Amino acid sequence: MFKPEPFVTRLHFTASDRPEAQEARETLIARYGQASLAEAQVIVALGGDGFMLETLHENLSGGLPIYGMNRGSVGFLMNEYSEDALLERINAAESAVIHPLQMVAIDTDRREHRAVAINEVSLLRQTRQTAKLRISIDDKVRLGELSCDGALVATPAGSTAYNLSAHGPIIPLDARVLALTPISAFRPRRWRGALLGHTARVKFEIMEADKRPVSAVADNFEVRDVLEVHIAEDRDVALHMLFDAGRSLEERVLAEQFSV
């Protein structure tokens, strides 16, 4: 349970551009006040999962915990919206600690691009041609050639997002593993991906990059025409998300595995 101080009272409200999110922000500021980011104890994010990811990215170095409330279309990472007893809910909330992925992508002009991913780093074919990827783990080639639409590496927090849609495994937050998941694998057709230790260093090499161009996407940051992509968990960065008591992110991930 998150207890940064005896009782949290100073909140900073932020909201997506959706009208319902902006309206909620004004209502909550009128009721609970608006602390500056320098003075706030908790950031309250109003929107959907995309806005939660945006807020996390904007506060990578800030250290403030973030409590989300759903005022968007998707809310797996958000708490239910209510204007009542907000301080009590936040002070009783459970904390989930997220370690993001660091991506280093090298494009065909040999330029290096760095980005952080909280959910996943995905490689995607740019044309009708299938992508051909060589995959190495900790400097050892594990798959010499994967013909596919793409592949991704997902954190436990991101395992219920794009990774799940690509038929990857759902990972408990405390499992200390990453998911390596192919996207529409053509050859080897039966390969379904792998679970990697959280310290694994993943390298993708794009084969026939001129004929079969591939982009790399770290959450919402895209690099086109990549030659190599290196991915590793960044244990130096810890992001704190707050969830209502009894509705922790761990509980949501577990419940998702039994949904039908």
Side-chain angles (χ1 to χ4, degrees):
M1 188 175 294
F2 177 74
K3 293 293 181 183
E5 296 184 22
F7 194 80
V8 171
T9 58
R10 301 189 303 277
L11 308 178
H12 179 83
F13 294 94
T14 185
S16 72
D17 293 334
R18 294 175 69 101
E20 58 267 40
Q22 289 292 321
E23 181 180 347
R25 178 178 179 272
E26 295 303 317
T27 298
L28 292 169
I29 287 175
R31 184 163 179 177
Y32 296 99
Q34 174 76 327
S36 68
L37 279 175
E39 298 175 333
Q41 296 162 285
V42 171
I43 296 172
V44 178
L46 304 163
D49 284 353
F51 185 69
M52 171 59 85
L53 290 176
E54 182 181 321
T55 305
L56 288 165
H57 276 281
E58 291 176 352
N59 292 276
L60 284 171
S61 59
L64 285 177
I66 300 174
Y67 178 89
M69 284 201 290
N70 190 9
R71 292 282 85 186
S73 57
V74 179
F76 186 84
L77 299 177
M78 312 299 275
N79 298 287
E80 291 184 6
Y81 178 75
S82 175
E83 299 169 11
D84 299 326
L86 181 57
L87 292 176
E88 289 77 6
R89 289 172 67 186
I90 289 175
N91 279 278
E94 302 176 30
S95 178
V97 179
I98 308 298
H99 296 288
L101 300 172
Q102 280 283 352
M103 178 189 80
V104 179
I106 301 171
D107 66 22
T108 52
D109 293 325
R110 299 291 177 178
R111 293 175 298 187
E112 186 177 286
H113 307 264
R114 293 178 177 268
V116 173
I118 295 163
N119 268 358
E120 76 278 317
V121 175
S122 55
L123 277 71
L124 305 166
R125 65 182 175 99
Q126 294 176 196
T127 68
R128 61 182 178 82
Q129 296 275 16
T130 59
K132 287 189 176 182
L133 309 176
R134 179 183 295 119
I135 303 174
S136 299
I137 310 298
D138 295 328
D139 298 321
K140 182 175 181 179
V141 175
R142 293 292 183 179
L143 195 55
E145 183 177 311
L146 172 65
S147 296
C148 56
D149 281 354
L152 62 85
V153 177
T155 66
S159 67
T160 56
Y162 191 9
N163 174 71
L164 181 59
S165 297
H167 307 291
I170 297 175
I171 305 172
L173 285 184
D174 59 357
R176 297 170 70 87
V177 298
L178 305 173
L180 169 56
T181 302
I183 302 170
S184 300
F186 175 70
R187 187 176 293 113
R189 195 181 300 272
R190 294 182 181 276
W191 190 64
R192 294 292 181 262
L195 289 174
L196 309 174
H198 72 99
T199 61
R201 292 173 289 111
V202 183
K203 177 182 177 182
F204 290 101
E205 297 172 85
I206 288 71
M207 307 168 69
E208 303 178 31
D210 54 341
K211 179 182 178 182
R212 305 170 185 273
V214 170
S215 66
V217 183
D219 285 348
N220 59 358
F221 177 84
E222 182 180 20
V223 181
R224 306 279 288 181
D225 301 310
V226 294
L227 281 178
E228 293 181 11
V229 180
H230 303 259
I231 304 164
E233 187 182 68
D234 190 345
R235 299 294 294 182
D236 293 331
V237 177
L239 303 170
H240 296 263
M241 301 172 63
L242 301 180
F243 295 90
D244 287 332
R247 290 287 296 152
S248 67
L249 188 55
E250 290 91 340
E251 169 59 28
R252 296 175 192 212
V253 169
L254 180 61
E256 186 71 24
Q257 296 178 78
F258 292 90
S259 64
V260 293

Coordinates of all heavy atoms in Angstrom, one line a residue, residues 42 82 123 170 211:
V42 N 0.7 13.5 -5.4 CA 0.2 12.5 -6.4 C -0.4 13.2 -7.6 O -1.0 14.3 -7.5 CB -1.0 11.6 -5.8 CG1 -1.7 10.8 -6.8 CG2 -0.4 10.8 -4.6
S82 N -15.0 8.6 -10.0 CA -15.9 9.1 -9.0 C -15.4 10.3 -8.4 O -14.2 10.5 -8.2 CB -16.1 8.0 -7.9 OG -17.0 8.6 -6.9
L123 N 8.3 -4.3 -33.6 CA 8.8 -4.2 -34.9 C 7.8 -4.6 -35.9 O 7.1 -5.6 -35.7 CB 10.1 -5.1 -35.1 CG 11.4 -4.5 -34.6 CD1 11.5 -4.5 -33.1 CD2 12.6 -5.3 -35.2
I170 N 0.0 -13.5 -20.9 CA -0.2 -12.5 -19.8 C 0.8 -12.8 -18.7 O 0.9 -13.9 -18.2 CB -1.7 -12.5 -19.3 CG1 -2.6 -12.2 -20.5 CG2 -1.8 -11.6 -18.2 CD1 -4.1 -12.3 -20.1
K211 N 14.8 -4.4 -49.2 CA 13.6 -5.0 -49.8 C 12.4 -5.1 -48.9 O 11.3 -5.0 -49.3 CB 14.0 -6.3 -50.4 CG 12.9 -7.1 -51.1 CD 13.4 -8.4 -51.6 CE 12.2 -9.2 -52.2 NZ 12.7 -10.6 -52.6

